[in-house]
Each structure stands twice: as structure tokens, then as C-alpha cells.
Amino acid sequence: MKKLAVFISFLTFFFSPFFSPQIPGLVNYGEESGLNNSYTYSLSQDHNGYIWVGSDNGLFRFDGKEFKQYSKKSGLKNLEILSSLPLDNGEIFIFPFLNDFAYLKDGHIINSDSNKELRKIQFRYNVNYSTDNHSIYIFTGHNPKSIYLFKDEKVTKIPLYFNTHNPSDIYYALALDVKTHLLYLSSKEKKENLLAYDIFTKQTTKCNVYLEKDAVVYKKGNFFIFRDKRKITIYKLYNKFTFKKIQTYSVNENIHQVIIDKNYRIWLCMEEGGALYFKQTLLDNKKLTAPIQFLSGNIINHLMVDKDNNTWFSTRNNGVYFITAKFLNSYIHLPIPNNSAYITAISKNDNSILLGYNESTAGIYNFHTIKDLVFEKNRKIEHKAIVSEKNMVFFGLSRSLVQYNTATGEKQILGDFNLKNLVPYTDSSILICSSEGLTAYHYLTRQYTEMIKQERVYTALSYDKDSLFVGNFKDLYKFSTRTKKKKLFLEDYYFTDLKKLSNNTYIGATNRNGIIIFSNKRILGKISENNGLPTNQIKKIEIENEKVFWASTNSGLSRIEIGGSHFRINNFTQPDGLPSNLVAGCAIKNDTIYVGTSKGLGILSVRDLLRQQRLIDKKAIINSVIIGHQEFFNLNQKLTTQAPNDDIIVNVSFPDYASQGKISYKYKIEGLSENWLISTSPKIILNSVPPGEYVLKIFGLGYNGRQASVPTELYFEIKPRFWQTWWFKTLLILSGAVLLFIFINWYFQKKRNKKLETLYYEKKIAELELQAIKAQINPHFIYNCLNSIQFLLYKKNYEETENYLNVFSQMIRKTLYYSEKTFMPIKEEVEYLSLYLNMEKLRLKEQFEYTINVSETVNENWVIPSLLIQPFVENAIKHGIANITDRKGKIGIFFEYINASLCITIEDNGVGIGTINQSMTKKESFGVKLSQKRIETFKQLFETHITLEIKSFSGQESKHGTQIKLYITPYENQNTSMHH
């Protein structure tokens, strides 16, 4: 591709030799980042993407946001960690200085105290190793006697028996090829060819090359690099034993370390500091060309290219350096001298890109070079704006204005201005915005025209023949160049830049309100952080076309595309290739955008920028889960815990190193809530999760809010305590219901008892009242009988008087007997009534006859209130039968069972006692009155419903007399055993 997304920079040096040159995009991680050590040694990367750093203060793991340290507290017995080797099973084998080997498994350091197998590995010299990702072969380079195989936490010793002429010869073990089991050896004292020793068959084969004394060998794949002080020699191995020389390359100083990265490119770490990088890969079999230098002044112990082609450097005393693949590619392929200055203004003309710095110098970029322009030496005044018209360029500095002719190279300082901005005006003039006002400069005639005096002007834009938009620190005005009058247009907007987008549509960059789109009449739209801008503080606007423009900010570069009432915004920052996020402005030519930043000029392809990935092809990693006081590292199975351990801490990482620590996490708990939450902390805390089964879904978020392509899921279950189970809740509800029932029952029982107590006293009163009634009935009956006896004696009818006295004595006995009882059976009532009627017949000389009939449907053992019927019978005789003269009296008493009630009927054929349904008059019998009162008392005492009906015929339907009916419901009461 002809134009790639690149930015251009070159090395500059700091005063101290221990500091890194200012390479754009180079990040240093040191003590302030949590990497607290002096020396950093070997670097490695595991299958999760974590970076592991060996150091003189333990082992560090970096996840893109923070360093985690493993030290003596963690279980390391030796803190001088030279390297670490990640294995496919997730273990990290740790190589310390000399012995005390260890490995990391499930978040814990396993040392020789925990696994006694490690005690087998003992060396007097530092070790080398080779691996097949499942096993590690550990050996010393100095005259090895054994190789130790570490696999599945077991150590196997493989003894070595070199088949040489002299057993006392000392050999160096250069490299071990795990696939062929060949250990390549070099004699320490003799100049002889390399030996290939099979560690299993013990056979030795001589190779076709030899190694110079004190040379060191580095191997990757089939490539061997022999290092000898300032020279490297590259060989390629064929058929296990034949080496073919590819190239020799010499440098000007001693080489400290040789590294072949994962792309088979060579890095030389120099003893005096820095690293030399060769762009050619060994796989291309091309000759090495001049290398590119990195990190001059830093002693580099090791470097590594990670899975995303980012490069990491471990240094002595300066921590770890990091540069992304994009920056490295830019730095390598298009180096431009002196492109690291702080750019504060940028513009373009037909041929060049014009740069203004934060000092009285400028640059013109053309044909991959930057031509420097020095206006005033050692004057620290920055550029505010640059305007060009064909060959004429105006550099507006904060204290002066410089005119430069690109064709002739002539430059002229036009004068001192407290300048705020420069704006194109007509074909031969520019507008000077300053703290003194607004001035037009006509550069062909070299004349000045003052438009606005003694007013601070920050920006201006011509929108009509005689009209300008003029912005001050607070408002935007319309200014007439003809009348010199101004009119307030937009209030309370501090505009930093104004550009025309299309016919009568303008774009304004503001200092705190984002971007304003307006016409010459009103505001058409606003774009701010709410729409997706990284900040509301906008510096400059660059127009791409009528629908697209770019905004420069201190938080990167934004491209805004207008589509009706909607805006599509793409934000670009350092990880996209910008040298810095502090962007002063930009210029567009065809598909290339030139970006002026605080760390130099960035040159990028617009097409490549728009291919910016929306998603990051990584997953968030759950390192461990803390439940209660226990930390779980093995997360392959669903985690199960029980309340009250319902607070869960999830330790999570998102190793996207291009985001340079600007990492956050989006998560939700499926089964509990569908709302996504955002956290910047690597500890996601789930508080008081109720019992249930859940899935925690986590997305990592990188720079510019880019999201991981797939979520990470954690299945966990919180089991309820017994009081949270359904059966306990059911039991609790039932117990509550029972207790409530008991309470309600107790309450109503108490209320009932109180009512019963009241009723009891009421019944006692009623009983006393009944007894009083009975006491009234007995004398009344006796009185009537004695009247009859007196009447018989008066007539001197002694025989009848004697008979009457005999019957009377029986009646008295039965009356006294039944008056003591509350109830009596029907058959006894019949007997009593017969006795009474017979006695009355004697007294009235057979003046009436009676009938007592008990229906078959009536049980004679049923009980009724005692002495209830006799007063009605007595009343029928006294007031009905005794007064008739034209007919014989008749009395009928009937016991029937009608409609679930006992019906007792008393009929006579006497004179009657009134009309139908009338109650008895004041002359009615005293006994009937007492009987009615007894009925009411019975109702109250025994809940026995007794209805009394009195009907007088009075000659109706050729019938005479009175009918009395008593309905008793129920007719059989359970309380009949009660005596009063």
C-alpha cells in the first residue's frame, strides 16, 4: 500500500545518559507504576497475554493496568529472578539466580518446601533451558553433567556421558534442540568443531563449524547466531549437523545480548546502552542492512515482541519500556530527522506542510524531510497560527508576525503583536486577531487596516462581502466592514476557531461548549461530549468536505461526519498512531492527514484510520474470585458458595497493552439484573447477592471505549442458608399462620369468654327471673284451685269436694315436682295436662270434654319447657268454656311435627278472645302473661326458638273459640339436663 498509517519521529537525547530518547509512543513503566526494582531481566508472555518480568526484587506480572509482585511473602525463596517460562497448562516456571527453583500454579508459588521434587535441581552456575511448551529441559552451560526434565510437577534427571577422547575435557552446552534431543557442545579449551550430543541415545556427532573462544551462541528454530564481542555470525542448521553460514555483521561497540524475536528479527543490546534493530527477518535470507537504534543510554537486558507485535524492553535501573507495533512500524520505516519538537500550529499549501513550534522556529515538511526555519534564536514564543497563500506563508507567533516566501526563501518579521490568531481574508490579505483588536494586513501593498480597536479578538471569519464573524473571549459578533458596527450574534461562546463548511453553514470550535454548527441567522446544531466527542474543549477545525470535518483537541483527533440531524464521530488517539494526544491542528491532503502534536508530526492514512477496529480481539481474564475469606483460582467449574458469604470480589484483567492503562470493564449479572455497569477498577465487587444461580458477563473496554469482541463469563451459585430455603420459608409462613391463628383464636376466645361471662350472668338473672315466674305460677294455680274448692263447699257438695281434693292433692304434688324442672318429656306433660283437665271437669260438672293427641311423627320423649302449656289450657277453660251456655265445651290439645318444628296446638270452642292476630287485652289471663314472659326467658337461656300464635274464630266459618299455637325450634335441646 502506497500510503500507510504512519507518524514520523526520530531520536533525541536527554541530558542524562540513563534516560530514553524521546521516541513518540514509547512508554516507561517504573517504580511509579508499581515496578519497584533496580534490575529487570528476562521478559515473557503467557497464553493469557500477561507480561512476566524477572527482576532483582521478585517476579512481576503486568496486565496492562497494574503490576502484581510475587516476593518472599508470596513464597519465593530467592528474589533474584532471572527469567520465567509460561507453560501450556497455565504454570509459570521461575528461574532464580542459581538455585531455589519454583513455579506458579493457580495463583500460588510452589517452592521446594511445597514440592520436594524441586530440590533435585541443583547447579553451581546459572542455567539454560529449552521447552516444548509441556516440558522444561534445564541445564547449565558450563560443563553440564545432567539435564533435569520438569513435567507435570515432577523432576526427572537425565545424566550426560559425553563420548570424548579425554573425560577431563570441559565443554560448554550451547543449545538444546528439544525436537531432535540434540545438545550442541563446544570445547572450552580446544578449537574444535561443535558436537551434537543425543541426550537419550548418548551418541555424539561432530558438526561442520567451530566456535571462537569466549563466543556465545543464541538459537531460534534452525538459526544460530554466534556472538563474539562486536561481531555476530549467522548460521542456519541443515540436517541436524550441518551449519551454513549466512552472514557476518560487525558493530562499533561490544554486544551485551543478542535476541531473535518471534518474527525472526535480530536485536543487538549493546554494552554501552541502547539496542540495534534490523528490519530484515532471518526467514527472508536477506543481508542485514544498517540497524535502527533504540533507547540509547539505557542498558537493555532483554527485549520481547509480544503476541500483538508490541515491543518490550527490560533495562538496568530504568524499569521496562514499551512501544506499540504501530509506533515501531512508523519509527522504523519513515525516520524523519528532527521530528520530535512540540508543534503548536500546522497548515498547508500546494506543495508542503507548514509547522509552527513552541519556540521561534518553524518547519516545512516536503519529500520526507523537514526544513527548519529559525526566526529568532533562543526566543521562547510559540506559534498561534499559520496562513499560506501560494508561495507566501505567514507564521503567527504569540509576540510577532513573520512573512516567509517559500520560492525565494526570503523572511521578514512584520512587527510585534500580542497575537491570538491568523485568518485568511481576501486573495491578498489576512486578518490579524490580537489583544489590541482586529487588523487586516494587505501583503502585496504591505499596508495595515485597523477594523476593531482596543478590543481582544480571538478569531474571525468572512461570511459576506462586507461582513465578518468576530469572536472575543465571551461572545460572537457580526461585524460590518463598511459601517464598522457590530451586533451580538451568539452570546457566551468562546470560539477558538471558525471555518466555513458549505454555503451559509459554518463550524465553530469553542473552548468549553464543543462544536457549534450555525448559519448567519441561527444555531443549526451542537456537538459535545454527549454526542461522543472526547472533550468539549476544541482547538482547531479542519474541513475535509461539505459533510466531513476534523476537530483537534488535547484528547486526540476527532473526525465528524454530518448525516442529516445525526453525527458519526470517530476518535483517534495515540494507540491509533498519533505521536501524542495533545493535538494542535491537522491538515489534509488527499488520503493523508498530517497531525501536529506535542511530540512531533504524525502522518497517517485516512483510509487506514477509518478501518479502526470497533472491537478488540481479546477477552477479559478473571484471575481469581474471593468469596468470604477464601480466594479461588481454579475457575473451570461453577463456583458455589452459601450465604452469608454473598459478597463476591472478582479480580479481572484486560491485557490490551495498546490502551496504555486506559482500561475499564462493562459487566452485568444475568439472573439478577439486565443493566450493564462500568467499572475502572480491576476488582469487581458484587455486594449482597441473593441466593440463586447467576452468570457474570464481563467485557473489557480499551482506549476510546473500544470493547472486547466476546465477553468473559463466570458461572456461580449462591446457595441459601436453611432460613433462606423455600421449605424454611414455607415452614415459617405456616408457623406464622399457626401463631396468628392461635393469637386470633385466643383473642376471640377471650372475647367469647367475656361474652359468655356476660351471658352467664345474664342467664343467671334470667334463671332467677324464671324461678320468680314459676313462683308466681304456683300460687296462681293453687289460688284458682282453692277458689273451686271454696265454691264446692259453699254449695255443700261434700262428695265432689272430697273427689276434687284427692285430684287436687295429686296436682299439687306434680306441680311442685315439675316446677323444680326446666324441661319435661312430652308424655309427662300429657299426663299432667290430663290430670289437670280431669280436676277441672269435676269442678265444672262435666261442662266440657277434652282431647289430647300426640302425632306419630312426634317422639314422646322429646322435652319441652315444663308447665308451659297448662296456663294456656287453664285460660281456655276459664275464659272460653266457662262462659258458653248453648253448647258443650270442647278443648283439644295436639302435638305435631311440622317443618322441622314441634307444633303444640290448644283449641277451645268458647266465646273467643278477639280478632285474628290481635294480642291479648289487658283482661287476658295473668297465667298467659307469665307464660309469654317464660317464652322470652327460654329463648335467652337455651337458644330455643319459641313462637306463640293466638287466633280467635269468633263465629267465623261457623267456628267458635280460640286457637293457640306454640312452635318450638329446635324441639330437642342438648341442655335439657340443666336443673333450676
Side-chain angles (χ1 to χ4, degrees), residues 505-516:
T505 302
Y506 306 93
I507 304 293
T510 73
N511 190 52
R512 60 179 181 272
N513 297 108
I515 298 169
I516 309 297

Side-chain angles (χ1 to χ4, degrees), residues 901-938:
S901 295
L902 177 65
C903 178
I904 304 172
T905 305
I906 302 109
E907 288 184 357
D908 66 74
N909 62 346
V911 295
I913 59 172
T915 58
I916 300 173
N917 294 330
Q918 285 182 335
S919 60
M920 302 185 76
T921 64
K922 293 181 181 179
K923 296 181 179 179
E924 65 182 332
S925 163
F926 178 71
V928 173
K929 284 184 178 181
L930 293 178
S931 295
Q932 288 178 323
K933 197 168 184 182
R934 284 189 71 204
I935 288 172
E936 295 302 321
T937 306
F938 267 103

Side-chain angles (χ1 to χ4, degrees), residues 2 29 58 62 106 146 298 300 377 412 420 433 441 462 500 514 589 714 775 816:
K2 187 177 180 181
Y29 296 108
F62 185 53
D106 293 336
S146 300
N298 286 271
I300 299 173
K377 291 183 179 180
Q412 180 182 3
K420 303 299 179 185
C433 304
Y441 172 66
S462 174
K500 182 177 181 179
K589 282 191 172 185
L714 175 68
L816 293 175

Side-chain angles (χ1 to χ4, degrees), residues 282 310 332 351 355 432 439 445 483 492 508 579 591 848 872 878 899:
L282 292 174
N310 306 310
I332 290 169
N351 302 314
L355 308 174
I432 304 171
T439 304
T445 62
T483 65
D492 202 25
D591 179 54
F848 70 92
F872 294 102
K878 183 176 180 181
N899 296 328

